[in-house]
């Protein structure tokens, strides 16, 4: 990844992650991503978690893989926008990995109480550190 993906808040010229509003936006973003509603809407939800296994089997020169990588970089930028780290920081990679992994596991265990426990544990980990 190259440099920090950055978008300034148009109201005050600051990075949204640098403000209380940025922290609230981050909590809301993570809360929506790791929700039962998102888990249950696999066909309309995040392609990062939904397609990971299929993309892993695609060739390295596949246009599908290139589109998937663009999606991951976009998501890293969004997380960086709301957080305290630039998009190329490993902390943002960990955040995305926890989110996508938790969503994938919760979908695989849907119908069992473990599914909600996975979502709750991931939210707690991300929001209370």
């Amino acid at each position: 990844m190259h440099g920090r993906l950055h978008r300034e808040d148009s109201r005050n010229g600051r990075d949204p992650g640098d403000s209380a509003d940025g922290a609230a936006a981050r909590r809301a973003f993570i809360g929506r991503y790791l929700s039962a509603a998102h888990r249950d809407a696999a066909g309309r939800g995040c392609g990062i978690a939904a397609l990971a296994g299929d993309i892993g089997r695609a060739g390295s020169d596949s246009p599908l893989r290139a589109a998937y990588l663009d999606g991951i970089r976009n998501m890293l930028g969004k997380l960086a926008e709301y957080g305290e780290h630039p998009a190329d920081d490993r902390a943002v990679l960990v955040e995305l990995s926890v989110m996508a992994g938790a969503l994938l596991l919760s979908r695989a265990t849907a119908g069992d109480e473990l599914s909600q426990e996975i979502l709750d544990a991931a939210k707690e980990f991300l929001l209370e550190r």
Side-chain angles (χ1 to χ4, degrees):
M1 282 173 270
H2 303 286
R4 180 173 184 194
L5 296 176
H6 178 82
R7 190 181 88 192
E8 290 186 352
D9 184 312
S10 61
R11 291 170 291 159
N12 60 17
R14 294 177 34 193
D15 182 342
D18 291 341
S19 67
D21 289 344
R26 179 178 177 271
R27 280 192 306 278
F29 183 74
I30 290 170
R32 280 191 309 272
Y33 191 92
L34 294 172
S35 69
H38 189 208
R39 175 199 61 209
D40 296 340
R44 296 183 314 273
C46 177
I48 291 172
L51 299 173
D54 295 328
I55 300 300
R57 291 185 288 279
S60 61
D61 59 344
S62 165
L64 187 58
R65 183 179 289 262
Y68 189 81
L69 285 168
D70 286 346
I72 287 180
R73 288 185 177 104
N74 193 16
M75 179 68 100
L76 290 169
K78 183 60 71 178
L79 289 170
E81 180 181 315
Y82 294 137
E84 301 170 353
H85 304 282
D88 58 357
D89 189 297
R90 287 183 179 251
V92 180
L93 289 172
V94 169
E95 255 184 17
L96 177 57
S97 298
V98 169
M99 289 171 63
L103 184 62
L104 184 66
L105 292 173
S106 72
R107 285 178 176 166
T109 57
D112 189 277
E113 64 187 35
L114 181 58
S115 179
Q116 189 61 47
E117 289 178 33
I118 291 168
L119 293 174
D120 292 344
K123 276 189 277 196
E124 182 179 316
F125 174 80
L126 292 169
L127 297 176
E128 295 183 10
R129 59 187 186 105

